[in-house]
Amino acid sequence: DVASDSSVCAFIKNVTSWSSGRIDILVNNAGISGPIEELEQADWQDWIATIEINLLGSVRMCRAVLPVMKSLGRGKIIQIS
């Protein structure tokens, strides 16, 4: 769940535990469709959830893997939007 700091941290901890502390690549490809109603009728919380997942989820994942990649002196991040 890229909308949750604790989920992202747990995921990174699991990956580094079975990969001998390595993360060489991150592919950010999580996303949802935003509200499809007319703008003035769309639920505001639906917009917030969309931004939380589509934008902040990618940032959250990048922030989580960067310390690992920096410690290795390498890594690639691919952002699909």
Side-chain angles (χ1 to χ4, degrees), residues 32-65:
I32 62 172
S33 296
I36 57 172
E37 298 89 4
E38 292 187 22
L39 183 59
E40 66 271 12
Q41 295 174 357
D43 184 270
W44 188 245
Q45 291 305 312
D46 290 343
W47 278 110
I48 291 171
T50 302
I51 292 168
E52 179 74 22
I53 292 167
N54 294 353
L55 173 62
L56 300 180
S58 293
V59 173
R60 206 173 264 113
M61 288 298 294
C62 288
R63 288 176 56 101
V65 302

Side-chain angles (χ1 to χ4, degrees), residues 65-76:
V65 302
L66 278 173
V68 176
M69 289 180 174
K70 284 184 173 186
S71 74
L72 297 171
R74 57 173 292 164
K76 301 289 183 193

Side-chain angles (χ1 to χ4, degrees), residues 6 11 14 20 25-26 32 34-35 42 53 71-72 77 79-80:
S6 61
F11 175 73
N14 286 338
S20 302
I25 187 167
L26 166 66
I32 62 172
I53 292 167
S71 74
L72 297 171
I77 297 174
Q79 179 66 36
I80 300 171

